[in-house]
Each structure stands twice: as C-alpha cells, then as structure tokens.
Amino acid sequence: MTRIEDMSETQRRAWMTLIVDVAVFLVFLRGATTDWSIDTLSAGGQTSLFIGVIIMTIILHAIIASLFEQRQRKDDITDKDERDINIERKGASYGFYFLAIFLNLIVGHIVLQNSFDNFPEATAGYDAVFDYRNTSHLVFALLSAAFIGDIIKNATMIFAYHWGRGGE
C-alpha cells in the first residue's frame, strides 16, 4: 500500500474526490430509493434532493480544492508531470466511455419502452424497474450516470497510480 507521503498531489486529489463522490452518491441513493426500487418523488422532493446533492458536491469539492491550494502554497509543490497528465487523461476517458454507454442504454430503453407502449396487450401486467415516463426514474438514471462516471474516472486514476501503469 502506498503511503500518503509518497503519493503525488494528483493521486491524493483523486483519492479525496473518489471518497467524496462515493459519499454523496450514497446520500443520493438513500434519498431516491427504497428497498431496491426507485422512489417516485414529488416535484418538490425531486428538486430538494437534486439541489441538495449539487450543493453538497460543490461544497465538498470546494473544500478539497482549497485544501490542495493551501498545501501547494505552503510546500511549493511542483506542477503535474507527464505521468500525472496521462493518468488523468486515462481516467477521464474511462469515465466518459461509461457515461456515453450508459446514456445510450437509457435512450435505447426509452425507445424500446415507447415501442412496447404501442402494444399494451403484449406487456400487460409487466412493470419495468425503470420507466422513462416517471420523472423520478429519469432523474435517478441521469444523476447516477454522472456520479458513476466520475467515480470510474477517479478509481481508474487510483488504480493506474497503484499499479504504476501510468497513462498506458
């Protein structure tokens, strides 16, 4: 296990961001789901959950940024090297790939569900876990995609640092 003192600033920031994003995502999941199903929230409930998650994320990311800014001033730490840049790029690309695939799956599900809605006798008695007509479900899916994409980005960076593969 790498000690904190031996980590680069980019690696430390990736760890902090990963911890914060997972914590906020768990708060979001707790507010949007019950017993492994997506809750149908009122407009006010959706708004308060959405704004609460955004505010929590902004505040925690601002705290991380300020902590690293103070460390940089105090220790006069040098800029990122080529390895840090390659690792960040790798993490960002993996996060983006997940986001693109997830959004295409959501769109595909919406198209299929819309197609099946034209044949109610074929789907009688079937309730899907995700229903695009339910705004709570759509908000849940889109916010989950954004959170998971960012979690994948930071986890990829951490794994790349840990196993020394850099941005390969």
Side-chain angles (χ1 to χ4, degrees):
M1 181 76 182
T2 306
R3 294 182 352 198
I4 293 175
E5 304 86 44
D6 298 335
M7 293 181 188
S8 71
E9 286 299 294
T10 309
Q11 187 178 9
R12 289 183 195 137
R13 186 181 288 246
W15 269 109
M16 290 297 298
T17 305
L18 178 65
I19 291 166
V20 163
D21 286 346
V22 168
V24 173
F25 185 53
L26 291 174
V27 168
F28 166 70
L29 288 177
R30 189 169 184 267
T33 62
T34 306
D35 297 328
W36 298 100
S37 66
I38 304 169
D39 293 342
T40 299
L41 302 174
S42 66
Q46 278 183 16
T47 303
S48 63
L49 179 63
F50 181 69
I51 290 174
V53 165
I54 289 174
I55 290 171
M56 189 182 320
T57 302
I58 290 171
I59 290 170
L60 292 173
H61 281 263
I63 290 170
I64 291 171
S66 66
L67 289 173
F68 279 91
E69 184 63 30
Q70 285 178 340
R71 282 181 49 88
Q72 188 169 6
R73 285 191 200 144
K74 187 172 67 172
D75 297 338
D76 194 29
I77 297 167
T78 59
D79 289 333
K80 298 176 192 172
D81 62 9
E82 186 176 331
R83 180 175 181 246
D84 289 331
I85 292 168
N86 287 338
I87 287 174
E88 267 188 324
R89 192 173 292 145
K90 180 180 183 177
S93 69
Y94 283 21
F96 173 77
Y97 290 146
F98 169 81
L99 188 60
I101 291 168
F102 197 93
L103 291 178
N104 278 293
L105 287 173
I106 291 171
V107 169
H109 182 83
I110 289 170
V111 169
L112 282 174
Q113 185 177 359
N114 193 34
S115 299
F116 291 140
D117 285 349
N118 293 328
F119 303 102
E121 64 280 350
T123 58
Y126 175 73
D127 290 327
V129 174
F130 173 77
D131 183 358
Y132 79 91
R133 295 165 297 192
N134 185 326
T135 309
S136 292
H137 288 202
L138 201 51
V139 168
F140 177 81
L142 295 173
L143 274 178
S144 293
F147 271 113
I148 295 169
D150 201 46
I151 289 168
I152 287 172
K153 173 191 163 217
N154 289 298
T156 299
M157 290 173 60
I158 290 166
F159 285 121
Y161 276 113
H162 183 71
W163 281 284
R165 297 193 48 107
E168 297 172 10

